[in-house]
Amino acid sequence: MPQIIPIRDLRDTTKLSEMCNATNEPIFVTKNGYGDMVIMSMQAYEEQFARLNMYTKIMEGKVQADNGQLLDGPSTMKKLRKKYAEQV
């Protein structure tokens, strides 16, 4: 269940920090009864950002596969080994 607080509750920063870190979900802040901001802990933000990044990469791979831009696994590994073995 999402937490919703009025903007005036932002004054108590210690309580707000505890609320953010106690749950892994965003806290919605309202102003005059309407949604205004979303606050979340750094951990929750980083998890959301990592998830978004992962989904973006999956969709990029799907688009490439749909367009026939596939690579052969064994030959790609040989090229990578050759490239990085020369650098060592």
Side-chain angles (χ1 to χ4, degrees):
M1 181 105 186
Q3 293 185 6
I4 303 170
I5 62 170
I7 199 164
R8 71 176 173 270
D9 287 357
L10 294 179
R11 292 181 188 142
D12 190 355
T13 56
T14 303
K15 180 182 173 188
L16 186 61
S17 176
E18 290 171 358
M19 286 173 58
C20 285
N21 289 301
T23 179
N24 214 18
E25 295 183 10
I27 297 172
F28 298 92
V29 181
T30 60
K31 182 177 181 181
N32 297 326
Y34 296 97
D36 188 49
M37 293 185 280
V38 176
I39 301 172
M40 62 176 61
S41 69
M42 288 296 293
Q43 179 183 353
Y45 173 79
E46 289 171 355
E47 289 172 4
Q48 289 281 7
F49 190 76
R51 190 176 299 117
L52 177 63
N53 194 22
M54 178 187 64
Y55 289 146
T56 300
K57 291 188 183 302
I58 289 171
M59 290 310 297
E60 288 173 0
K62 183 181 180 327
V63 168
Q64 288 175 351
D66 291 345
N67 292 333
Q69 299 170 333
L70 302 173
L71 300 175
D72 178 72
S75 64
T76 301
M77 290 304 294
K78 285 180 186 177
K79 289 178 187 176
L80 289 171
R81 285 187 185 108
K82 182 179 178 182
K83 177 181 177 181
Y84 290 104
E86 292 173 1
Q87 292 180 1
V88 175

